[in-house]
Amino acid sequence: MYYIDPHIHMVSRVTDDYETLAKMGCVAVSEPAFWAGFDRGSVDGFRDYFRQLTEFEPKRAGWYRVQHYTWLCINAKEAENVSLSREVIAMIPEFLDRPGVLGIGEIGLNKNTRNEAIIFLEHLDLAAKTNEQILIHTPHLEDKHQGTRMILDMLCDDARLERGRVLVDHVEEHTIRPVLEAGFWAGMTLYPTTKCNPHRAVDMIEMYGPERLLVNSAGDWGPSKPTAVPDFIMAMRLRGHPESLIRKVVYENPVEFFSQSRGFHFTPPELAEPEEIGGRQ
Amino acid sequence: MSSAATAPAVLDREFLDIRARVLELAAALDRLDRADGSVGGDARMAAIAQAIDIVRDSKADRAERVQLIFSRPYEKGWRQKLGVVPR
């Protein structure tokens, strides 16, 4: 089955992972900007990172006919540095019209601090002014519930935002309901110990239905598994769910959500000539 | 939408998994007992005990309720407390 991984940090993966993803049926990835494993010291560090996300990663993905899309921001961990964050936010528009850029993300909260909230609001302002879609990181473990509720408060305060163009990611059993009820999209991240796992993600599909729900692997610096979405596909099959429902969650939903972005020029795999996919990048 | 399978079918499919996880939990608690020192006053142990109580009760949404046991509380007045002004 063809699928799209809507949240995977390929800069932290080796090229072989692109090949594995392609062999498993992955036809596109969306890569939000995130933490580099260390705090960057200047706005130029982010400018270089955004070049990597918009120039080299699409090329690397294209070697295996995987279409690559990306989101830009300064992540919540580094948002503690407010002055640097403001420099990065001012620089982001340089990249917003590049091919494959889907919007602002993954912004959000990490430890639910004042500085994180201030920079989150400033990212929302940028997205509203530039009419960009938004992808949001929610905190982990004991901070997730509180942080997700704070994020929803800030999103709902801003009447300029179209809720159907905002994805709130890393939802779990205690955060999925308020996200969906408020009209946002929700992402479930499949991760070995924290976040969600394939079987619990299937549980949530069974409880809430497939509308406005995405599943992703994160595929980051931690012990994550870039092929977690195929694990979800298998879990859905083993529970007897139809192929049409699985396809909706892992392929049609990401296409529907991303299609609201002016940077999403997707070639369905059944229509693609090899050079079209490789050539875009 | 609900599960595509009947309850007996789900139990047949998941019994060994559930058994293994309960054993894993029991063994981890035994390991804590055997170790030197005490964690009896540790708030995390109280949270684990509360979570086990939820697992054993017969009400719905156990996973959601267990998640909340391990979560910091949300306060509606967080904006004022942090001094964050909505745009």
Side-chain angles (χ1 to χ4, degrees):
Chain A
M1 176 179 290
Y2 291 133
Y3 77 92
I4 294 172
D5 193 326
H7 186 144
I8 183 166
H9 296 291
M10 293 306 296
V11 298
S12 65
R13 315 303 310 191
V14 296
T15 300
D16 291 355
D17 286 340
Y18 275 117
E19 183 177 15
T20 303
L21 290 176
K23 286 175 177 171
M24 301 291 267
C26 181
V27 293
V29 294
S30 124
E31 174 159 12
F34 82 140
W35 192 56
F38 58 92
D39 289 352
R40 282 155 281 208
S42 71
V43 67
D44 283 332
F46 281 88
R47 187 177 275 111
D48 289 342
Y49 175 47
F50 295 164
R51 285 191 56 205
Q52 183 182 15
L53 287 173
T54 56
E55 294 174 17
F56 185 60
E57 284 307 320
K59 185 179 292 181
R60 211 159 63 113
W63 293 338
Y64 299 97
R65 300 189 183 184
V66 175
Q67 298 172 67
H68 183 280
Y69 300 92
T70 194
W71 304 74
L72 306 175
C73 75
I74 177 166
N75 60 88
K77 266 186 204 242
E78 289 172 274
E80 273 304 323
N81 185 338
V82 172
S83 58
L84 175 60
S85 298
R86 286 178 171 152
E87 286 183 71
V88 174
I89 290 169
M91 179 270 290
I92 286 172
E94 290 176 24
F95 289 85
L96 288 177
D97 290 327
R98 287 202 172 191
V101 175
L102 298 183
I104 304 298
E106 61 179 307
I107 57 172
L109 300 176
N110 180 46
K111 292 294 176 190
N112 306 336
T113 68
R114 179 174 192 272
N115 285 349
E116 290 170 12
I118 288 169
I119 295 306
F120 179 76
L121 288 169
E122 293 186 15
H123 274 112
L124 293 187
D125 190 51
L126 172 65
K129 285 176 175 161
T130 54
N131 195 31
E132 294 292 338
Q133 285 198 266
I134 300 169
L135 191 157
I136 294 174
H137 164 94
T138 54
H140 304 308
L141 301 171
E142 69 270 25
D143 295 312
K144 181 178 293 296
H145 178 248
Q146 182 188 58
T148 303
R149 297 298 299 269
M150 290 167 66
I151 285 166
L152 292 176
D153 286 344
M154 290 186 277
L155 290 171
C156 294
D157 278 342
D158 195 330
R160 298 172 298 173
L161 303 176
E162 288 177 54
R163 297 186 186 187
R165 297 184 71 221
V166 178
L167 167 61
V168 180
D169 226 321
H170 317 317
V171 299
E172 293 182 51
E173 291 87 348
H174 54 326
T175 56
I176 184 172
R177 191 194 318 264
V179 171
L180 290 176
E181 282 181 356
F184 301 103
W185 283 72
M188 296 182 284
T189 297
L190 311 173
Y191 216 71
T193 49
T194 61
K195 308 185 183 82
C196 194
N197 67 31
H199 285 286
R200 286 168 47 217
V202 178
D203 291 336
M204 285 187 265
I205 297 285
E206 290 174 353
M207 292 163 70
Y208 293 95
E211 297 302 327
R212 288 184 284 118
L213 268 176
L214 303 174
V215 291
N216 64 72
S217 71
D220 54 25
W221 304 116
S224 48
K225 189 176 179 190
T227 53
V229 176
D231 291 345
F232 167 83
I233 292 170
M234 181 57 70
M236 287 283 282
R237 283 182 180 145
L238 291 177
R239 294 222 207 155
H241 290 296
E243 294 294 298
S244 57
L245 174 63
I246 304 171
R247 178 180 160 90
K248 173 166 178 56
V249 176
V250 302
Y251 182 84
E252 292 166 9
N253 278 359
V255 169
E256 181 185 344
F257 179 70
F258 295 155
S259 292
Q260 301 175 91
S261 171
R262 67 179 185 278
F264 189 63
H265 301 288
F266 178 64
T267 307
E270 56 272 21
L271 300 180
E273 295 296 326
E275 61 274 17
E276 284 182 37
I277 292 177
R280 183 182 69 79
Q281 287 92 14
Chain B
M1 177 180 300
S2 60
S3 168
T6 63
V10 173
L11 184 61
D12 284 347
R13 187 183 64 220
E14 303 218 351
F15 175 73
L16 285 177
D17 257 358
I18 295 169
R19 175 184 178 276
R21 285 169 199 201
V22 171
L23 271 172
E24 220 172 285
L25 175 62
L29 294 176
D30 285 345
R31 213 171 295 136
L32 274 169
D33 285 346
R34 288 198 310 274
D36 289 338
S38 166
V39 289
D42 191 311
R44 291 173 296 181
M45 290 305 295
I48 288 169
Q50 269 183 284
I52 291 171
D53 286 344
I54 287 174
V55 169
R56 289 191 67 245
D57 77 25
S58 55
K59 296 176 201 152
D61 299 325
R62 292 179 189 81
E64 180 178 352
R65 289 184 289 129
V66 166
Q67 289 273 21
L68 290 171
I69 293 289
F70 295 107
S71 298
R72 291 188 206 285
Y74 160 73
E75 298 169 52
K76 271 193 173 172
W78 69 269
R79 293 183 193 79
Q80 290 74 25
K81 195 171 167 185
L82 293 184
V84 173
V85 183
R87 285 183 168 257

